Amino acid sequence: MVRPLAVLGGTPAFAEKLHVGKPNILNPQRVLDRIRQAMDSYVLTHSGPLVTEFERRIADAAGVTHCVALCNASIGLQIMARVLGLHGEVIMPSYTFVATAHTMRWEGLTPVFCDVDLATGQLDPEEVRRLITPRTTAVLGVHLWGNPAPVDALADIAAEHGLALFYDSAHAFGSAHQGKPIGGFGRAEVFSFHATKFLNAFEGGAVVTDDPDLAAQVRAMHNYGRDKAGAVRGLGTNAKMTEPAAAMGLASLEGKEELIRVNTERHAHYAAGLDGVPGISLRRPEPGDRVNHSYVVMEVDSRAAGLSRDQVITALHAENVLARDHFHPGCHRTPPYAEAGRLHTPRPLPRTEALSARVVLLPTGLGVSVEQVDEVCAVIRALVDQAPAVRRTLAR
Ligand SMILES: Cc1ncc(COP(=O)(O)O)c(C=O)c1O
């Protein structure tokens, strides 16, 4: 029997919308109890007991000695630019959330966009080398979709050229490369604990590092440049995490292994359900990497599938599956970087362009059951089976 598709006049496969990045809320009662405790004690911010405990446990989980919890990752990246004393150009992928670029530009630096390795979606180290100029000051790696960046090759390049290396690890808390947790690579790594991220603290972030001096500078800068005694020692901002955010973060942290299990199970169902669908493939972790599977990354080969990536997304939306095209079209095609052209994009980015035309992110996490995942796969299979009719309808 031909499966009825919403885009062809059928009823949507799902009565309620399935979202990519629906917040995972683990143990809400524990969150509320801790917030109540914080309110009873009137300690709501300023490195209270919950933030202090959160920092210790994040450092442990990331396998590092220092963690400074923050109100978000963006300010963490900006503080890192200041602490590392960066100037001039910072090499980074274009294929990332725009915050990677904006935070450096905000600090007066010049993001220089680098192409990716099509097989992994991560920075291509050989391309990084080609982009180094006398103005280059740092490489900002990104562990895209929670999969580790090529950390060993980037460390070699940074050492050879005397560049600062640090990571935008917004997607990658809980992931590991060859048994070493993400958090311990480069001079420091910056996590995001935004509500849609693997570890949810409503909004939040952290700088983690093994460098005590760097950690002390970040700690001072995140609190108006003040030292432990409260004396102002230099320039700073307000980037503090609140106690309620730490309460949420701690509950997320306590459920970390369960969430990895849930995400891994859903990923396995997607892999099985999409197996053999022409033109459809699913990204898998590299051998030796452990990933949090916070993102399910499907790719559409439009020739083989008979549908473009955008047609697949439109048809999925009609079924109430709110699939996303992140990070289309890449930072280099986004204002203000697109207008400045070669300043930010000195070399063409053909693999970034190819990737950004193929990727579809699918819903996962606690907000979607394995049965729903199976149903999403059945819908995608039916879309490809009926591609000519879908194409004709969408062209009208
Ligand atoms: C790759 C990347 N970097 C940085 C950020 C910024 O994180 P935050 O929202 O915590 O500032 C995000 C958030 O979406 C991201 O995806």
Side-chain angles (χ1 to χ4, degrees):
M1 194 194 91
V2 182
R3 193 184 197 291
L5 290 166
V7 78
L8 299 179
T11 43
F14 298 93
E16 310 251 313
K17 294 186 188 334
L18 298 185
H19 293 269
V20 170
K22 182 172 179 183
N24 293 301
I25 302 178
L26 290 141
N27 207 342
Q29 192 53 50
R30 191 89 179 95
V31 179
L32 293 174
D33 290 347
R34 281 184 166 125
I35 293 177
R36 176 86 254 164
Q37 243 176 305
M39 289 197 297
D40 288 347
S41 72
Y42 290 89
V43 180
L44 300 180
T45 185
H46 275 287
S47 296
L50 295 177
V51 167
T52 304
E53 182 184 352
F54 183 66
E55 287 179 337
R56 183 180 53 72
R57 291 171 70 172
I58 291 290
D60 285 351
V64 296
T65 44
H66 299 278
C67 168
V68 182
L70 303 169
C71 55
N72 60 55
S74 298
I75 195 80
L77 290 165
Q78 289 173 223
I79 289 176
M80 280 304 301
R82 299 242 170 187
V83 166
L84 294 172
L86 303 186
H87 52 84
E89 299 177 354
V90 179
I91 298 174
M92 65 181 70
S94 164
Y95 198 70
T96 175
F97 184 56
V98 77
T100 314
H102 275 5
T103 51
M104 295 301 105
R105 189 74 200 91
W106 196 261
E107 292 299 321
L109 298 158
T110 305
V112 170
F113 298 120
C114 182
D115 215 356
V116 290
D117 174 343
L118 208 45
T120 62
Q122 309 291 337
L123 267 183
D124 176 350
E126 285 315 306
E127 274 297 309
V128 171
R129 281 183 195 282
R130 292 185 192 111
L131 288 169
I132 294 171
T133 71
R135 298 177 298 282
T136 307
T137 184
V139 176
L140 175 50
V142 176
H143 304 294
L144 184 71
W145 304 314
N147 300 336
V151 287
D152 300 326
L154 294 180
D156 289 347
I157 293 170
E160 272 169 44
H161 293 270
L163 302 174
L165 172 64
F166 64 119
Y167 284 97
D168 174 341
S169 312
H171 300 171
F173 184 78
S175 296
H177 174 63
Q178 307 291 349
K180 179 173 170 172
I182 295 302
F185 297 98
R187 295 285 306 279
E189 302 208 39
V190 183
F191 291 127
S192 171
F193 304 133
H194 179 262
T196 58
K197 295 294 189 291
F198 172 74
L199 197 145
N200 168 10
F202 301 128
E203 290 263 9
V207 171
V208 292
T209 180
D210 277 321
D211 180 336
D213 293 337
L214 192 148
Q217 288 182 64
V218 173
R219 189 168 291 289
M221 252 185 214
H222 99 301
N223 185 21
Y224 311 102
R226 296 158 87 190
D227 67 14
K228 267 191 192 152
V232 177
R233 299 289 174 194
L235 188 64
T237 183
N238 178 7
K240 295 188 299 297
M241 176 178 269
T242 64
E243 291 288 280
M248 186 69 160
L250 282 166
S252 303
L253 199 51
E254 284 152 5
K256 166 174 162 277
E257 292 307 313
E258 170 60 6
L259 189 54
I260 290 187
R261 188 196 63 71
V262 163
N263 286 346
T264 306
E265 185 181 44
R266 277 138 187 78
H267 190 272
H269 273 254
Y270 274 118
L274 296 174
D275 189 37
V277 180
I280 298 293
S281 56
L282 203 67
R283 293 243 160 206
R284 290 159 207 265
E286 295 296 300
D289 288 345
R290 183 194 198 222
V291 303
N292 59 30
H293 279 305
S294 205
Y295 300 89
V296 172
V297 184
M298 181 177 89
E299 280 171 80
V300 181
D301 173 346
S302 53
R303 277 219 194 147
L307 295 170
S308 70
R309 183 272 308 277
D310 291 347
Q311 287 170 327
V312 170
I313 289 184
T314 303
L316 284 173
H317 281 215
E319 305 283 355
N320 279 335
V321 179
L322 302 190
R324 308 292 293 264
D325 66 355
H326 295 329
F327 294 100
H328 179 83
C331 296
H332 69 295
R333 292 201 176 272
T334 305
Y337 313 106
E339 290 76 11
R342 287 178 66 84
L343 175 67
H344 299 289
T345 316
R347 290 173 55 79
L349 305 175
R351 286 165 274 146
T352 299
E353 303 274 353
L355 199 60
S356 79
R358 296 169 60 106
V359 163
V360 180
L361 294 191
L362 295 169
T364 190
L366 296 172
V368 47
S369 68
V370 285
E371 291 75 22
Q372 288 174 317
V373 168
D374 295 342
E375 182 68 3
V376 173
C377 294
V379 167
I380 294 169
R381 192 175 285 274
L383 277 172
V384 173
D385 281 350
Q386 299 172 63
V390 172
R391 259 195 333 263
R392 277 195 303 277
T393 307
L394 291 179
R396 271 189 216 135

